[in-house]
Amino acid sequence: MSLAKKRLSLCQSTNALAESGEDAEVTEIRQLTENCGFVWALGKSRGKTGEIVSTRALINAYRLLGGAAFVRMMNLLWDTWEGDPRSLTAAILSGMALFVKTYETEMNDRTFVSRLSQADPDEINRRGRADFSTSSVALRYARVILEKYNGQRGGRKLPYRFKG
């Protein structure tokens, strides 16, 4: 009897690293994610509140932002949509990471939460998918987030700073 060998998916290999505790980066991402109230599902989605399935987007966000800004992004996500699974798509995670990286020193967290909590995650997903002006998924979603952040009358608006 021969056993077929198949490559592990990113979720499977990341889960193995997380379980072994041998990869410091994966261990830190998991710990920070859980400390912010989320569950890193690693391919075992049950569609529950606070469950993040997108392994690649989460790792990329951590690598783009570093620990402190990653935690800030995760706290903003939780405070804005309270773990709604529709707000935890790979595209929204990517857009949030780019938004936080770009406006890290200018944005106000309370303003972010109050303005974006009024936006339905489905609308952000729909509008991000409908933007064909760039091939960068993160940029398309970050633009929608910026528009929602600046959408209210009054208050300080953030200038457009994305490259692209």
Side-chain angles (χ1 to χ4, degrees), residues 77-120:
L77 271 169
W78 186 266
D79 294 345
T80 302
W81 293 294
E82 299 172 344
D84 184 334
R86 300 170 307 148
S87 70
L88 302 174
T89 64
I92 287 182
L93 288 171
S94 300
M96 279 285 294
L98 179 58
F99 180 85
V100 170
K101 179 71 176 174
T102 304
Y103 296 101
E104 199 168 354
T105 59
E106 297 173 86
M107 65 183 271
N108 179 291
D109 292 11
R110 280 200 313 246
T111 301
F112 183 94
V113 171
S114 73
R115 291 180 181 175
L116 272 96
S117 62
Q118 297 172 28
D120 186 338

Side-chain angles (χ1 to χ4, degrees), residues 8-38:
L8 293 175
S9 71
L10 179 62
C11 287
Q12 292 167 328
S13 61
T14 304
N15 193 29
L17 290 171
E19 294 298 322
S20 74
E22 292 178 16
D23 185 290
E25 182 183 55
V26 169
T27 301
E28 182 170 16
I29 294 169
R30 182 181 219 170
Q31 187 174 25
L32 294 174
T33 300
E34 290 174 357
N35 288 349
C36 292
F38 295 96

Side-chain angles (χ1 to χ4, degrees), residues 41-96:
L42 289 168
K44 302 179 294 235
S45 173
R46 290 174 185 79
K48 293 185 176 175
T49 298
E51 194 175 66
I52 298 175
V53 178
S54 180
T55 300
R56 181 167 281 114
L58 201 60
I59 292 171
N60 288 344
Y62 174 83
R63 288 178 178 165
L64 176 68
L65 297 169
F70 177 80
V71 167
R72 182 182 185 194
M73 179 194 85
M74 298 301 283
N75 285 327
L76 286 169
L77 271 169
W78 186 266
D79 294 345
T80 302
W81 293 294
E82 299 172 344
D84 184 334
R86 300 170 307 148
S87 70
L88 302 174
T89 64
I92 287 182
L93 288 171
S94 300
M96 279 285 294

